[in-house]
Amino acid sequence: AGRHLLRLIDEVLDLSRIEAGTVALRPEVVQAGEVMAESIELVTPSARERDVDVRTVLDGGATVRADRQRLRQVLLNLLINAVKYTAPGTSVSLECTRPRDGVVRFAVVDEGPGIPTDLQARLFEPFDRLGAEGGAVEGTGLGLVVSRELVEAMGGQMGVQSAPGEGSTFWVDVPAVGVLAEGVLAEEAVSS
């Protein structure tokens, strides 16, 4: 109960800072594999407890321009949600790809129950847990809201692909960093 209350307070504070435009971001060059490994390490104990296998699929060498701590916070939130809503004996994967020039995509793919299309827009509404409020899975209904706001503050986008009975994929696109011929890192232009 104490952890749940502390998480609620942290998320409300994050959301109020974001809405007030006072959230402090420290963009830097971040190795995708490193932030993925850190996130997996943090979620592994709860995944083991629920008998959920957590895997990574990495596009080798991908680097992004993001606030490392906030990116890890977003990935960890998505992983925790996937582990919570996925049945024991199944798996969750954290994947990293380059869907287009200038963008690195992190995706958390689960084998959970899936989300009907008509409810997906509500995922990003504060305190809306899509009717899971009375269920056994604890949560505040703020994690996805805060995550999307943080991703957008870092110049990225966040979305979901899901269907009942087919699981869910929550994805985060952030600006990529490329390597120039001289070996100097340079931010690539993000194509729209």
Side-chain angles (χ1 to χ4, degrees), residues 1 24 33 52 72 89 95 97 145 148 162:
V52 173
R72 184 177 54 232
E95 303 173 358
T97 59
V145 177
R148 184 172 70 174
S162 187

Side-chain angles (χ1 to χ4, degrees), residues 24-144:
L25 294 176
R26 291 179 220 92
E28 62 181 290
V29 174
V30 178
Q31 296 292 326
E34 290 175 9
V35 76
M36 289 171 68
E38 293 166 5
S39 302
I40 293 292
E41 183 178 338
L42 291 169
V43 80
T44 296
S46 59
R48 280 191 190 127
E49 192 175 289
R50 288 198 35 83
D51 189 29
V52 173
D53 185 36
V54 182
R55 306 173 182 159
T56 58
V57 180
L58 176 64
D59 178 3
T63 55
V64 298
R65 178 158 308 281
D67 180 305
R68 181 187 201 95
Q69 178 183 347
R70 295 304 191 162
L71 180 58
R72 184 177 54 232
Q73 177 183 348
V74 168
L75 296 180
L76 186 58
N77 179 64
L78 295 177
L79 285 164
I80 288 169
N81 283 351
V83 167
K84 285 193 304 189
Y85 289 101
T86 299
T90 59
S91 67
V92 167
S93 66
L94 173 56
E95 303 173 358
C96 177
T97 59
R98 288 180 152 252
R100 60 188 184 277
D101 285 344
V103 174
V104 171
R105 174 170 286 182
F106 296 93
V108 175
V109 182
D110 68 47
E111 297 177 16
I115 304 161
T117 305
D118 60 322
L119 297 180
Q120 290 177 21
R122 290 177 40 197
L123 286 168
F124 301 102
E125 295 295 323
F127 302 107
D128 192 340
R129 295 193 54 216
L130 307 183
E133 297 83 1
V137 178
E138 69 177 46
T140 63
L142 286 175
L144 290 175

Side-chain angles (χ1 to χ4, degrees), residues 155-175:
Q157 296 178 322
M158 182 175 168
V160 61
Q161 294 170 298
S162 187
E166 296 180 21
S168 300
T169 299
F170 284 84
W171 53 266
V172 172
D173 288 353
V174 291

